[in-house]
């Protein structure tokens, strides 16, 4: 696991080496074991490739980057892991490849050298990398299928630059970083972030999951990003539920087996839910004698505590448990570092719980962790997407079936028939109608602490941000929602949280549920295999894990995850929070006096607590660091 940065400059500035040093220094925790960059002079300009290394596979200096092919045609900087590198290496040796290292980096380089873009569909891993081709005079930038690893870039007239973090790309830009108003509005008003190409800094984009772009060094122009993988939701699998369960079991165990490859100590993040429990239990199933270290956030004394479930799983596998209990005072002390580590505003204080889990893993000497992220998006998790599932039934004129599903679905904890109906209505509303329905639920597109006229003058689109190009296939509405969650909105934010929190402590976080093999298989199945007619989420996944995960964990009906007592914490910190919200941010679209007045009403109990309180706090502290 590493950090990468660099780019192409037609006329390199005299301070370019200093800029690269600043860029790599900003990512020192992503790669504490080695840091270097190289300038490659061209007739038309200068290519720069930089890398910070966290040694995981082949710990020797021979695996350092940038790495060059034997004929010096290609140079590579790579952030991530290729888990099936041993299998690919054997295949490459069979066609004449000669290796100088034992690293997955060289396997990736030689695979690219021989197969080019066709190599991408052979890779099982998480990655963001840049390949310089001396012969074709190109830089090719690639991001993994799910966006597990980050890739930021900026295109200017005189140069193209890239980096693994915002803090690392801003030193490479010609101008000072400025706020993207559209992203600020989407976050503050609607709670949305980490979707689409734009980020919170104007002019900086993210390469979308499963995409690549090419920079022509002769012209200095970058191509439009193009997809090398995208989820297909066409139902092609014609197998029974039992056969699908066996196939999924094999895919899952094979993925965990590959993700256990490491030359450094590894452990697992365990929340107590089905997904993380599946990872931990699969580790024991595959390696009966391994010493498994688990790391769990515990909201002790709270209704959201998962400690009992964590204990069940640890007891079942005989793990060495590490429990993390945190307080509001600790959050207060760590908040500046947490916000700096995340790089952009984020969703809730639950991200702090994850931050502390990785901190503890590092303290215990663990460099690699496995976790269950992505299972919900591939297997129909959360609350079962009732609106989409019923709409699929209505597409098939199955009104009675939809009503029966709603009735069964509503019997589960935390659900009710009215909520299911609201979600179904939401499926049929778009644009202004959707905004009106949100307003009826108390979610305004122009709250009084936002100056809507200023935003409109600044070109900001008001209203809930839709997804451009969202899938819309009759009878496959659930699969449409899952595919969008995987590649456009939802999973991206969760993966960002995990990447930044783990890298803050130089820990590599791996997500075995996220493989293209598993995604392609799951999205090819009938929808009722994922969400059962009775409303059970992860229906097929639970069946496939029988005998690996204890039944009492596998079929539990509630799930909390890394939930923190956020309201208690933030309201209790009112005296500290108040000055943060008072400090003038100098943003003409934000009426901070009215925002502060609403905060005071929440503290006094005259207004219900909402997720926006954290958004105000997070944004205010983050933006002060951007200034």
């Amino acid at each position: 696991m590493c950090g990468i940065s660099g780019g192409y400059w037609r006329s390199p500035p005299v301070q370019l080496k200093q800029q690269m040093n600043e860029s790599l220094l900003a990512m020192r925790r992503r790669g504490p074991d080695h840091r270097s960059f190289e300038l490659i002079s061209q007739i038309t300009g200068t290519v720069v490739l930089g890398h910070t290394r966290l040694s995981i596979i082949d710990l020797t200096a021979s695996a350092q980057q940038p790495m060059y092919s034997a004929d010096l045609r290609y140079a590579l900087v790579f952030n991530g892991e290729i888990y099936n590198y041993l299998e690919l290496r054997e295949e490459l040796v069979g066609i004449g490849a000669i290796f100088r290292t034992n690293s997955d980096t060289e396997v990736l380089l030689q695979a690219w050298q021989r197969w080019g873009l066709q190599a991408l569909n052979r890779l099982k891993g998480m990655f963001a990398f840049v390949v310089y081709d001396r012969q074709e005079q190109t830089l090719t930038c690639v991001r993994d299928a799910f966006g597990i690893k980050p890739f930021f870039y900026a295109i200017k007239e005189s140069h193209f630059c890239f980096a693994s973090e915002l803090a690392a790309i801003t030193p490479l830009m010609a101008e000072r970083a400025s706020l993207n108003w559209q992203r600020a509005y989407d976050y503050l008003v609607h709670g949305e972030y980490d979707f689409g190409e734009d980020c919170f800094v104007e002019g900086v984009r993210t390469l979308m999951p499963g995409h690549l772009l090419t920079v022509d060094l002769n012209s200095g122009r970058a191509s439009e990003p193009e997809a090398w993988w995208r989820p297909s939701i066409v139902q092609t699998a014609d197998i029974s539920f039992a056969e699908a369960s066996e196939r999924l079991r094999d895919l899952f165990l094979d993925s965990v087996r590959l993700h256990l490859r490491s030359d450094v100590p590894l452990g697992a993040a365990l929340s107590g839910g089905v997904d993380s429990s599946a990872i931990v239990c699969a580790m024991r199933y595959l390696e009966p004698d391994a010493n498994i270290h688990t790391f769990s956030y515990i909201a002790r004394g709270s209704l959201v505590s998962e400690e009992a479930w964590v204990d069940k799983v640890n007891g079942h596998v005989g793990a060495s448990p590490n429990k993390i209990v945190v307080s509001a005072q600790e959050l207060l002390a760590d908040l500046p570092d947490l916000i700096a580590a995340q790089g952009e505003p984020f969703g809730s204080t639950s991200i702090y719980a994850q931050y502390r889990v990785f901190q503890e893993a590092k303290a215990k000497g663990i460099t690699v962790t496995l976790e269950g992220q992505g299972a919900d998006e591939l297997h129909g998790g959360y609350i079962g997407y009732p609106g989409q599932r019923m709409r699929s039934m209505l597409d098939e004129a199955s009104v009675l079936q939809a009503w029966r599903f709603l009735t069964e679905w509503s019997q589960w904890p935390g659900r009710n028939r009215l909520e299911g109906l609201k979600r179904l209505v939401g499926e049929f509303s778009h644009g202004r109608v959707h905004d009106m329905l949100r307003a009826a639920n108390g979610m305004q597109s122009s709250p009084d602490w936002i100056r809507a006229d200023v935003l409109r003058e600044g070109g900001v689109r008001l209203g809930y941000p839709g997804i451009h190009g969202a899938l819309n296939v009759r009878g496959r509405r659930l699969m449409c929602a899952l595919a969008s969650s995987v590649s456009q909105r939802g999973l991206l934010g969760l993966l960002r949280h995990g990447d930044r929190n783990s890298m803050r402590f130089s820990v590599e976080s791996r997500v075995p549920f996220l493989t293209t093999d598993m995604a392609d298989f799951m999205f090819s199945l009938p929808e009722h295999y994922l969400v059962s007619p009775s409303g059970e989420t992860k229906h097929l996944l639970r069946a496939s894990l029988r005998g690996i995960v204890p039944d009492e964990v596998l079929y539990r009906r509630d799930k909390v995850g890394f939930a923190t007592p956020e309201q208690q914490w933030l309201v209790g910190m009112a005296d500290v929070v108040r000055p943060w919200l008072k400090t003038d941010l100098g943003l003409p679209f934000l009426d901070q006096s009215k925002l502060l007045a609403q905060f005071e009403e929440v503290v006094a109990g005259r207004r219900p607590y909402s997720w926006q309180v954290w958004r105000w706090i997070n944004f205010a502290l983050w933006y002060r660091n951007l200034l």
Side-chain angles (χ1 to χ4, degrees):
M1 195 58 55
C2 314
I4 60 175
S5 70
Y8 170 72
W9 281 259
R10 278 190 170 278
S11 299
V14 294
Q15 71 273 24
L16 182 56
K17 290 184 178 180
Q18 178 185 337
Q19 289 174 293
M20 280 300 300
N21 279 321
E22 291 177 9
S23 175
L24 295 180
L25 185 63
M27 299 187 294
R28 61 192 180 279
R29 290 177 177 132
R30 297 189 76 89
D33 299 325
H34 182 257
R35 184 165 73 239
S36 66
F37 67 89
E38 294 186 18
L39 279 67
I40 306 171
S41 296
Q42 304 292 305
I43 295 176
T44 58
T46 299
V47 170
V48 187
L49 299 175
H51 186 259
T52 64
R53 185 185 184 199
L54 174 62
S55 303
I56 303 293
I57 301 293
D58 188 347
L59 309 185
T60 67
S62 63
Q64 291 172 359
Q65 303 176 37
M67 184 176 285
Y68 291 84
S69 60
D71 62 3
L72 299 182
R73 174 178 172 177
Y74 298 99
L76 169 73
V77 284
F78 158 52
N79 170 28
E81 298 288 347
I82 307 301
Y83 301 118
N84 63 332
Y85 77 102
L86 293 177
E87 291 78 5
L88 291 174
R89 180 188 175 106
E90 183 177 354
E91 185 178 354
L92 288 162
V93 168
I95 58 176
I98 298 174
F99 285 86
R100 298 164 290 168
T101 75
N102 294 315
S103 69
D104 60 336
T105 303
E106 189 179 7
V107 170
L108 174 59
L109 180 59
Q110 296 233 30
W112 187 270
Q113 184 175 3
R114 282 157 178 78
W115 300 320
L117 295 178
Q118 300 306 312
L120 296 176
N121 288 311
R122 297 171 179 258
L123 304 178
K124 294 184 179 180
M126 54 181 181
F127 48 83
F129 64 84
V130 175
V131 179
Y132 163 63
D133 186 334
R134 187 185 304 271
Q135 179 175 305
E136 295 295 325
Q137 287 292 285
T138 57
L139 285 176
T140 304
C141 310
V142 185
R143 193 178 185 193
D144 68 66
F146 303 97
I148 305 169
K149 292 291 100 184
F151 192 91
F152 293 95
Y153 69 98
I155 303 173
K156 305 296 178 182
E157 276 192 27
S158 61
H159 72 277
F160 167 88
C161 57
F162 65 87
S164 296
E165 294 186 6
L166 265 181
I169 197 171
T170 50
L172 304 179
M173 298 172 67
E175 66 281 340
R176 184 177 178 179
S178 60
L179 179 67
N180 182 318
W181 280 22
Q182 183 68 59
R183 279 294 175 265
Y185 166 79
D186 294 337
Y187 173 78
L188 287 168
V189 176
H190 298 289
E192 294 293 324
Y193 62 100
D194 283 358
F195 68 95
E197 292 183 326
D198 292 339
C199 65
F200 280 83
V201 173
E202 190 68 38
V204 179
R205 302 178 189 172
T206 60
L207 188 59
M208 293 298 286
H211 279 66
L212 61 86
L213 65 83
T214 302
V215 180
D216 183 332
L217 304 183
N218 292 314
S219 66
R221 294 179 179 175
S223 68
E224 285 297 314
E226 59 181 291
W228 64 265
W229 181 86
R230 57 167 51 98
S232 170
I233 62 170
V234 177
Q235 183 177 327
T236 57
D238 185 20
I239 56 177
S240 68
F241 184 86
E243 291 170 329
S245 175
E246 286 299 316
R247 173 62 176 151
L248 178 56
R249 182 187 180 97
D250 290 342
L251 286 170
F252 174 67
L253 288 176
D254 184 60
S255 181
V256 174
R257 177 182 61 82
L258 291 177
H259 281 71
L260 288 173
R261 287 177 172 171
S262 172
D263 292 338
V264 295
L266 55 79
L270 174 63
S271 70
V274 172
D275 310 335
S276 63
S277 298
I279 299 295
V280 173
C281 292
M283 292 169 68
R284 173 58 71 222
Y285 183 86
L286 292 166
E287 298 191 1
D289 300 323
N291 184 12
I292 299 176
H293 296 267
T294 65
F295 298 86
S296 307
Y297 162 73
I298 304 296
R300 192 161 288 161
S302 169
L303 294 175
V304 297
S305 176
E306 296 269 77
E307 187 169 15
W309 295 104
V310 166
D311 289 343
K312 290 179 189 297
V313 175
N314 281 325
H316 177 75
V317 303
S320 300
N322 297 271
K323 297 181 179 181
I324 298 93
V325 180
V326 302
S327 66
Q329 290 72 29
E330 289 171 305
L331 170 65
L332 185 59
D334 289 334
L335 202 50
D337 187 68
L338 172 65
I339 289 173
Q342 282 295 312
E344 295 180 271
F346 51 94
S348 73
T349 57
S350 65
I351 310 309
Y352 178 59
Q354 186 188 59
Y355 169 99
R356 291 292 301 274
V357 163
F358 288 119
Q359 182 183 53
E360 183 67 13
K362 179 65 174 180
K364 293 298 173 65
I366 300 297
T367 308
V368 173
T369 61
L370 275 62
E371 64 169 291
Q373 198 64 265
D376 285 306
E377 290 76 13
L378 290 191
H379 299 277
Y382 299 108
I383 62 170
Y385 298 84
Q388 292 88 349
R389 188 69 194 99
M390 286 188 285
R391 188 178 179 189
S392 284
M393 296 173 185
L394 294 177
D395 285 339
E396 307 295 334
S398 299
V399 177
L400 182 59
Q401 184 183 16
W403 180 254
R404 286 173 177 167
F405 175 83
L406 175 63
T407 301
E408 292 289 331
W409 175 88
S410 65
Q411 302 305 307
W412 290 69
R415 307 177 187 175
N416 59 70
R417 189 173 281 143
L418 178 60
E419 179 62 24
L421 288 172
K422 284 182 178 180
R423 291 175 181 270
L424 177 59
V425 171
E427 274 294 291
F428 292 94
S429 63
H430 304 282
R432 187 166 297 180
V433 174
H434 185 74
D435 288 338
M436 289 172 61
L437 290 174
R438 286 176 60 85
N441 258 343
M443 294 174 280
Q444 301 291 330
S445 291
S446 300
D448 62 2
W449 44 269
I450 284 288
R451 297 188 177 104
D453 55 338
V454 175
L455 288 172
R456 290 192 188 95
E457 290 173 8
V460 172
R461 300 178 303 278
L462 303 186
Y464 185 75
I467 299 177
H468 177 68
L471 294 170
N472 185 24
V473 179
R474 291 180 60 82
R476 303 287 285 173
R477 308 295 182 172
L478 168 62
M479 295 306 189
C480 290
L482 294 179
S484 294
S485 294
V486 163
S487 60
Q488 295 178 294
R489 172 185 284 154
L491 183 59
L492 278 173
L494 300 174
L495 291 172
R496 187 255 280 195
H497 304 153
D499 174 80
R500 307 306 191 275
N501 278 335
S502 61
M503 288 288 92
R504 163 61 184 85
F505 299 104
S506 304
V507 173
E508 176 177 288
S509 175
R510 297 179 175 180
V511 282
F513 278 107
L514 292 177
T515 69
T516 54
D517 288 348
M518 201 179 305
D520 289 339
F521 175 66
M522 294 306 300
F523 291 155
S524 73
L525 295 170
E527 289 191 347
H528 67 270
Y529 281 16
L530 279 67
V531 179
S532 77
S534 68
E536 180 184 60
T537 64
K538 304 176 188 173
H539 184 42
L540 183 67
L541 178 63
R542 295 176 200 265
S544 71
L545 295 173
R546 289 291 299 271
I548 297 175
V549 180
D551 282 357
E552 62 179 328
V553 176
L554 200 55
Y555 291 102
R556 58 176 294 195
R557 285 180 161 238
D558 62 316
K559 177 65 181 81
V560 176
F562 283 163
T564 57
E566 182 173 282
Q567 178 177 354
Q568 176 185 341
W569 282 2
L570 297 183
V571 173
M573 294 161 48
D575 289 343
V576 177
V577 169
R578 197 171 287 112
W580 297 341
L581 300 181
K582 279 184 177 179
T583 301
D584 185 11
L585 300 178
L587 291 171
F589 64 81
L590 194 61
D591 190 331
Q592 288 183 241
S593 63
K594 291 182 179 177
L595 186 151
L596 185 61
Q598 284 200 15
F599 175 73
E600 297 293 1
E601 290 181 1
V602 171
V603 172
R606 295 190 299 272
R607 177 185 289 267
Y609 179 86
S610 84
W611 51 264
Q612 281 182 324
V613 173
W614 168 252
R615 300 300 203 279
W616 299 336
I617 296 169
N618 190 176
F619 181 82
L621 293 178
W622 174 82
Y623 186 69
R624 283 165 56 185
N625 291 333
L626 183 68
L627 292 174

